[in-house]
Amino acid sequence: MASKQSPSHVFLVCYPGQGHINPTLRLAKKLAAEGLLVTLCTAAHFGQTLQKAGSILGGDQCTPVGNGFIRFQFFEDGIVEINPKDMNLDRFVAQLELSGRPSLVDLIKKQTAENRPVSCMILNPFFPWTYDVAEELQIPFAVLWVQSCAVFSIYCHYFHKSVPFPTEIDPTIDVQLPILPLLKNDEIPSFLHPKKTYGVLGKAMLSQFGKLSPAFCVLIDTFEELEKEIINYMSKIIPLKPIGPLFLNSQKLEIEVSVDCLKAEDCMDWLNSKPPQSVVYVSFGSVVFLKQEQIDEIAYGLCNSGFSFLWVLKPPSEFFGKQRQTLPEEVVEKIGERGKIVQWSSQERVLSHESIGCFVTHCGWNSSVEAIANGVPVVAFPQWGDQVTNAKFLVEEYGVGVSLSRGVEVNELVTRDEIERCLSDVMTGGSGENVFRQNALKWKKAAAAAVADGGSSTRNFQDFVDKIRQI
Ligand code: UDX
């Protein structure tokens, strides 16, 4: 058993994806800074990727953060044993559970045997089977929801069948939920649409709603001021704690732990050489992989716009056998120093750089919050999942940009002319004041206040830490 002086041990389990591990590590850092022992646990193949990128150390190594510590642990997943030719998302998700479940149970039992019993688990919505593990081992658990509260509400209402959603028989009906604006049928998260791109992930997220009731709270990487009414409404159904933007808090904790899957290329000298608000930053997150045809159109759009640009063109995932994308030679010759292409950037640093004028984004929730909280307007270019819903909110509710796409379901090529026009609208703001930038700056201020001393997210986080200490 642990001695009385042992810090509480919080065990976070994270789905193997950049969009998940970033907010999870940010939360882990904050918890450790409070004097807790924090273990961040993810799948073994993903752990190897992070180690290869030089991001983290493996084994039982503890990194001190504030008054506490962070350590990484990996559960077995059997992923690298699968022939890439046979790999698809359904197989991937099933394999994670098959190997992961018994391995996770062993890992947690090992913590007790090694004199640091787990006091509380923080789980991930893509891993509903981890909720069963927590119940089986009788460990209290909370959940870290890494998308918006609006999206949480949509999944929750879909699960409880409280309002009609598009079906195979009637795929075009619009969705009216309490508090939220009317969502056209293609504005709900695509995992819920009858066409169901990557529906296996939607299935996982929905199944967690049937297992949520024992969770003592759901932490959300958003802030009250951004989604006030929907947070108030949903809090009456499930205990929610908005504690974001988590990346703002974790920036203050200057420790050498990052979780990038690829080594970030240094762009700071290049950005420093550009005037304020003159650069278009382009990134489609860690999973979206556009068709070469679409890459060509973006390349010409950027080239013809005349703006400087920094573009993250990551290599394809090792698992799903895609071809590396290239830029048209004509564009490469024309852009010279005006464009910089990198495989991976330190996005938090890029978005906070004064040279950035706008962000062409796929609207993953992390990228959306990072843009808003840095006061950067967006050109929304969503593909699937929650991205289509986030794009609607960024454009119509938060007023920080324009939208270029309605997602992959529409299967339309966005042309170079449309891209050029949208870039011009968002970079210059049209004729008068740049209203997109003004709105973005308003959200930046609200986000900073939420994570400041006494701010809404700080208070919610403190309540959560107090609860953990009482366990
Ligand atoms: C996925 C889903 O696609 C997204 O819709 C969901 O909300 C979360 O899980 P991802 O597509 O990777 O995430 O997008 P996003 O949520 O934006 O997360 C990407 C993270 O990688 C961000 O924190 C971003 O800062 C970081 N990043 C991205 C970099 O650090 N460097 C890069 O070059 C690109």
Side-chain angles (χ1 to χ4, degrees):
M1 289 296 287
S3 70
K4 278 208 177 107
Q5 291 76 26
S6 300
S8 301
H9 183 184
V10 185
F11 197 97
L12 294 95
V13 188
C14 182
Y15 184 83
Q18 193 75 60
H20 293 259
I21 198 142
N22 280 9
T24 308
L25 177 70
R26 290 162 183 167
L27 173 61
K29 285 182 184 177
K30 275 170 64 70
L31 289 167
E34 294 290 322
L36 304 172
L37 170 62
V38 181
T39 299
L40 202 170
C41 181
T42 186
H45 79 276
F46 190 60
Q48 280 164 13
T49 307
L50 299 175
Q51 281 166 320
K52 250 194 253 159
S55 294
I56 57 165
L57 302 167
D60 275 342
Q61 201 119 8
C62 273
T63 306
V65 181
N67 297 322
F69 295 93
I70 292 186
R71 53 201 273 283
F72 287 86
Q73 297 274 287
F74 309 110
F75 60 75
E76 296 306 322
D77 58 16
I79 294 292
V80 289
E81 283 132 48
I82 299 177
N83 186 333
K85 276 197 231 129
D86 301 329
M87 182 61 98
N88 57 44
L89 194 60
D90 291 41
R91 178 93 198 264
F92 182 79
V93 169
Q95 182 62 43
L96 285 176
E97 176 169 2
L98 188 70
S99 300
R101 197 173 170 139
S103 173
L104 182 63
V105 171
D106 288 349
L107 258 181
I108 293 169
K109 287 185 175 162
K110 196 171 140 213
Q111 309 306 311
T112 311
E114 292 178 351
N115 209 24
R116 44 170 182 258
V118 173
S119 6
C120 159
M121 291 176 79
I122 301 182
L123 306 177
N124 175 287
F126 279 23
F127 270 162
W129 51 269
T130 60
Y131 299 38
D132 303 333
V133 170
E135 287 246 90
E136 179 189 325
L137 300 176
Q138 299 190 335
I139 299 174
F141 69 92
V143 172
L144 174 62
W145 180 261
V146 297
Q147 302 185 349
S148 71
C149 188
V151 169
F152 183 82
S153 162
I154 299 170
Y155 276 102
C156 189
H157 283 90
Y158 183 99
F159 177 78
H160 291 291
K161 298 190 171 48
S162 36
V163 301
F165 274 80
T167 60
E168 273 170 31
I169 296 163
D170 196 354
T172 58
I173 57 170
D174 298 336
V175 179
Q176 184 64 73
L177 293 169
I179 312 291
L180 295 189
L182 181 76
L183 300 166
K184 303 217 176 71
N185 70 80
D186 61 352
E187 290 171 344
I188 58 172
S190 67
F191 301 162
L192 298 180
H193 204 269
K195 283 187 197 156
K196 288 199 176 71
T197 311
Y198 309 131
V200 64
L201 295 177
K203 218 159 109 193
M205 289 221 266
L206 285 170
S207 115
Q208 64 129 14
F209 280 95
K211 300 167 190 265
L212 259 190
S213 53
F216 63 89
C217 77
V218 176
L219 304 165
I220 308 200
D221 193 2
T222 186
F223 52 107
E224 285 181 9
E225 293 69 14
L226 187 68
E227 300 194 271
K228 204 178 197 86
E229 289 180 43
I230 188 67
I231 289 170
N232 285 343
Y233 180 85
M234 290 306 294
S235 296
K236 290 180 194 134
I237 303 172
I238 293 173
L240 295 181
K241 282 200 185 298
I243 53 168
L246 283 167
F247 87 95
L248 282 181
N249 296 105
S250 72
Q251 277 175 342
K252 291 184 211 147
L253 302 166
E254 287 182 14
I255 53 156
E256 289 305 311
V257 186
S258 77
V259 279
D260 283 336
C261 293
L262 290 166
K263 207 169 171 45
E265 290 177 47
D266 188 11
C267 324
M268 288 302 133
D269 287 345
W270 186 84
L271 289 174
N272 287 339
S273 73
K274 305 291 176 207
Q277 295 168 24
S278 66
V279 175
V280 176
Y281 174 58
V282 187
S283 166
F284 287 81
S286 63
V287 204
V288 162
F289 199 76
L290 298 177
K291 288 187 275 197
Q292 181 59 47
E293 238 185 324
Q294 186 62 78
I295 295 286
D296 293 348
E297 290 305 307
I298 297 175
Y300 277 107
L302 286 164
C303 181
N304 299 344
S305 75
F307 297 116
S308 295
F309 62 89
L310 171 63
W311 186 356
V312 179
L313 259 188
K314 61 184 180 300
S317 149
E318 59 192 301
F319 293 124
F320 301 109
K322 299 248 164 82
Q323 287 286 316
R324 208 189 174 95
Q325 301 145 325
T326 52
L327 291 200
E329 261 174 41
E330 191 191 354
V331 171
V332 176
E333 276 164 25
K334 271 194 188 158
I335 55 176
E337 259 300 284
R338 187 156 67 77
K340 186 170 173 67
I341 312 289
V342 294
Q343 291 202 19
W344 194 251
S345 76
S346 172
Q347 183 164 301
E348 288 177 48
R349 291 187 68 203
V350 169
L351 285 173
S352 64
H353 196 279
E354 61 166 7
S355 66
I356 300 298
C358 88
F359 181 12
V360 179
T361 172
H362 73 309
C363 308
W365 184 242
N366 294 290
S367 294
S368 303
V369 175
E370 287 158 13
I372 286 173
N374 276 303
V376 175
V378 303
V379 172
F381 207 137
Q383 298 298 299
W384 39 258
D386 60 329
Q387 298 154 17
V388 280
T389 317
N390 298 340
K392 179 185 175 73
F393 277 77
L394 286 166
V395 172
E396 294 175 22
E397 301 293 307
Y398 313 148
V400 297
V402 300
S403 191
L404 255 180
S405 150
R406 294 192 74 82
V408 280
E409 303 295 0
V410 181
N411 199 17
E412 267 173 11
L413 189 69
V414 180
T415 64
R416 60 194 73 184
D417 293 346
E418 287 174 83
I419 295 167
E420 189 186 341
R421 182 178 48 77
C422 286
L423 286 175
S424 164
D425 283 355
V426 176
M427 286 293 273
T428 63
S431 47
E433 300 249 26
N434 188 334
V435 69
F436 304 122
R437 178 161 284 275
Q438 280 178 344
N439 286 338
L441 289 172
K442 186 186 83 185
W443 292 119
K444 177 181 179 179
K445 226 166 135 188
V451 298
D453 286 348
S456 55
S457 291
T458 306
R459 286 196 312 274
N460 290 333
F461 177 72
Q462 274 313 325
D463 283 353
F464 178 66
V465 173
D466 292 347
K467 266 218 174 88
I468 295 178
R469 290 216 169 94
Q470 284 159 20
I471 292 173

